[in-house]
Amino acid sequence: MSKRRKSQRAAEATPKREKVRDVFVPRPFEGLIDEPEWIALRELVPAASAPLRLVPELVEEHGDRTVTLATVLPMAAPAMTKADGRVFVGLQRHQQSGDVSRDLAEALLCALRGEPGKPVTVPPLPGLGPRLQDILVDGPLDITMHEGFEFWLDPGAASDPTVQASLERANTAIYPTVRLAAARAAYWCQVPEKAHVRWVLPDDEDAALDALARLSAAGTLPLAGNTKFAGMLRAHGRLVPVWDLPEDVPAVEWEEPVTEFAKRYAEALATGEPLDAAGRRARHGLLGRQLTLR
């Protein structure tokens, strides 16, 4: 038999692998009450967690399991389970498709189906299926900020020298971050030689950009006199303005400036008139200082 015919027969005998089509969803958290906070935890916050509630159908199928959303898990794993049945889902992970919501939902479902305490296997491209919006009881996220990743561990696990060393390495990557009360999804963080406030705006991108342009044209875009508007991030369909701050001023001192800015922003957002020439120039300038996170 010729090599060509053998190859043909081998190909016919091998089952065809179904191609998984990836689809890009620009606003994966759309429809969730706390969409800006989901974005912030995904893109801005190093160490935080929040409890999640499963829809009744999943509770009936898998039991009333404790589910925790984490900014990141060990080795950036998509999910993990504990021996007692607790489930953790990681927002920040290595592999992802074009629909973050579908990725997270599949990771959670894989963890629920797996054996408690064992590694969770999650496909890199989940294909069609339920999204977060389909499997969670929606509501405001009850976020807990952490100074380290000890919340990963069971009681007593940190006494293991190997675990302790791994934990210390992970904790060195954390920069101080504080959740501000002045606005939802606004965070202060301190990086080497400077600090920032970053705020995930809840509004439509075009409307938010026009509002920021009005403030820029009016000279009221900085938070205070000793701050600088650094630019904007675009993350999952929302704008994230960023301000540079003095590194030696603590986070609590920025509550009032952020509160006052939020008032100015709300007033600029409510203005129904088109941008004037100065506003259009400011808008163009803001677009040049924009970075998209994917």
Side-chain angles (χ1 to χ4, degrees):
M1 185 182 294
S2 68
K3 289 184 178 179
R4 182 177 181 182
R5 185 168 296 177
K6 284 183 179 179
S7 299
Q8 288 176 340
R9 289 194 176 182
E12 292 170 358
T14 303
K16 290 186 177 180
R17 181 181 297 176
E18 185 179 353
K19 289 187 177 180
V20 178
R21 183 168 174 262
D22 194 12
V23 177
F24 176 66
V25 178
R27 282 183 62 196
F29 305 113
E30 183 178 9
L32 294 173
I33 290 174
D34 244 352
E35 179 185 10
E37 287 288 14
W38 280 89
I39 295 171
L41 295 182
R42 164 82 178 182
E43 301 294 346
L44 307 179
V45 180
S49 62
L52 301 177
R53 291 177 57 204
L54 300 174
V55 294
E57 296 84 353
L58 286 179
V59 173
E60 183 177 350
E61 181 179 356
H62 299 284
D64 193 10
R65 308 273 291 274
T66 298
V67 180
T68 300
L69 178 71
T71 47
V72 66
L73 293 175
M75 306 299 292
M80 70 178 183
T81 64
K82 298 293 188 177
D84 60 5
R86 287 176 296 143
V87 172
F88 288 77
V89 179
L91 269 168
Q92 302 168 20
R93 49 188 276 190
H94 292 310
Q95 292 181 317
Q96 62 189 42
S97 72
D99 184 357
V100 174
S101 177
R102 173 70 186 117
D103 290 339
L104 295 169
E106 181 65 9
L108 174 51
L109 293 173
C110 287
L112 291 172
R113 297 178 191 130
E115 184 178 350
K118 299 295 183 181
V120 179
T121 301
V122 179
L125 290 178
L128 298 176
R131 308 172 72 241
L132 288 175
Q133 292 85 338
D134 304 313
I135 67 173
L136 297 180
V137 176
D138 192 18
L141 291 173
D142 183 13
I143 297 170
T144 299
M145 301 292 290
H146 302 283
E147 295 183 357
F149 291 114
E150 286 77 7
F151 70 94
W152 289 344
L153 305 179
D154 294 325
S159 60
D160 184 317
T162 302
V163 172
Q164 184 62 38
S166 177
L167 190 65
E168 288 177 358
R169 285 195 300 271
N171 285 345
T172 58
I174 295 177
Y175 44 80
T177 302
V178 175
R179 187 169 178 238
L180 299 177
R184 197 75 177 170
Y187 289 83
W188 172 93
C189 67
Q190 188 173 46
V191 296
E193 299 182 358
K194 68 174 64 175
H196 300 294
V197 162
R198 299 179 291 187
W199 181 19
V200 183
L201 299 177
D203 310 293
D204 175 79
E205 284 185 272
D206 285 337
L209 182 57
D210 283 353
L212 294 175
R214 292 186 182 97
L215 296 178
S216 179
T220 57
L221 197 52
L223 290 181
N226 56 345
T227 69
K228 175 185 175 183
F229 180 78
M232 296 180 302
L233 306 174
R234 291 182 69 245
H236 305 296
R238 288 292 178 253
L239 292 183
V240 187
V242 180
W243 292 268
D244 288 342
L245 318 172
E247 64 172 327
D248 56 347
V249 180
V252 67
E253 298 296 329
W254 298 107
E255 293 284 6
E256 185 175 348
V258 172
T259 298
E260 293 303 316
F261 178 85
K263 292 177 183 177
R264 298 197 300 272
Y265 170 76
E267 292 172 358
L269 188 70
T271 302
E273 298 179 1
L275 293 176
D276 58 16
R280 292 193 296 272
R281 287 194 298 271
R283 192 182 200 274
H284 183 74
L286 290 174
L287 285 172
R289 300 162 70 184
Q290 180 175 270
L291 175 67
T292 300
L293 300 179
R294 289 285 175 86

